[in-house]
Amino acid sequence: MLYLGFRINSRSMTGSWPYAKRAELYKELTAILSQQSHGVTISPQQMASIIGKLQSAISISPWGTYLSFSMATNLTRASRNAYSTSRSWWSKAKIRVNKTVIQDIRLLLETLLAPEEDPIWTRPIALLVPREATHCFKSDASYAGIGGWTLNFGGLMWRITREDLVLLGFNMKTIGQAIDEPTDPATPGLHINPLEFIACIINLWVLLKCIQLLPPCDTGYVIDLLSDNTSALSWLKVTAATRNPALQPLARFASALLIQASHVLTRVQPRHIAGKLNVEADALSRFTNGRFKSWADVIAQCSQLQTCTICLLPPELLVTLAALSSSTPIEVTYQEQTPAPLILDLDFLPDGSNLRVIRSSLPLSYDPLK
């Protein structure tokens, strides 16, 4: 049956974006790319229409978010530069479609004519509705570091200190010695909200690496991704609506990971947790008054972490996030952006390591000068 523009199959218990709608969009996009004389252009009205069609597919396929991202950015930039607010600009003006949008349109064209109920545009109904989580990850951030943990997958935890974030390329604010707060909030550097977003993204990457090692789950994995920062959670839920240009590269990367989550039958549910209940993640991210200098200090404060294994995050992942957080322009395709982080290995600290001298989740052999 068709319901609110989607095809519902009660036998397979799936929802899909109908082939007829995708074929109509395919025809429209093909006509746009057929322009050869003076570059590809499109009216703001037509661009918004395409974005709307892709956004309508978000609940079924994360592809809708990812592939509408560059178009939404292109339209936003054009509207900011518009010299007219009249209706004529909306329907008759021309937006020059940039390289990234063209790449995404071509990628979209490769998938739009997939058969009815193809997995790319179809999801199990069990993963379309909020459900009780099968797994739970928590994260937190401060100006002194970021951290995350879970009791699932045998118990895992990670943390990156401010000093290591700086070495990896993150633009961090200068903080005081007694408290984990900036000496001058107006100085350049990442605000706490982007840091919280980065912590959520790292948790998302870790859970994907863990699920890759598990057998398939017929009913799907349902992950509560918990943070006490509502801004970071909103960016994770609606990445294509992120208006801040400095956050758009990070948001696009996060949406690419959400596509991978859908491929392994995983529903990611970004949810808020009160700060007073986020004690363990808070301790992993803070170093106030030298209380949590090492892993031993954190574990002594938080008994739930005693059974958790320390994750050693690949520096390449963190360097990528540092580059994206510095507003690096979005000029790569999905194929160029996604596989590299997902083929990186998630390693773990060997048993018997001295937890009093280890501070960060970086490989013991990592040399930032290389």
Side-chain angles (χ1 to χ4, degrees), residues 142-154:
S142 74
Y143 287 106
I146 57 179
W149 74 292
T150 179
L151 283 176
N152 304 129
F153 305 108

Side-chain angles (χ1 to χ4, degrees), residues 269-314:
Q269 302 180 151
R271 290 187 170 174
H272 182 262
I273 181 174
K276 63 182 179 181
L277 301 178
N278 204 21
V279 177
E280 291 79 11
D282 181 76
L284 288 167
S285 70
R286 292 185 181 275
F287 302 83
T288 306
N289 298 322
R291 287 171 55 202
F292 305 126
K293 279 189 174 182
S294 67
W295 284 103
D297 297 333
V298 177
I299 294 172
Q301 177 75 17
C302 306
S303 59
Q304 287 201 82
L305 299 180
Q306 292 178 359
T307 59
C308 292
T309 303
I310 295 175
C311 297
L312 298 179
L313 303 174

Side-chain angles (χ1 to χ4, degrees), residues 3-21:
Y3 179 73
L4 297 178
F6 296 101
R7 184 175 296 280
I8 309 299
N9 188 330
S10 59
R11 293 185 179 88
S12 61
M13 291 300 290
T14 58
S16 62
W17 202 32
Y19 176 86
K21 285 192 171 185

Side-chain angles (χ1 to χ4, degrees), residues 96-115:
R96 184 170 294 278
V97 178
N98 63 27
K99 174 184 174 183
T100 306
V101 175
I102 292 175
Q103 289 174 332
D104 284 343
I105 289 177
R106 287 175 176 160
L107 177 59
L108 182 56
L109 290 175
E110 293 176 7
T111 65
L112 280 178
L113 296 185

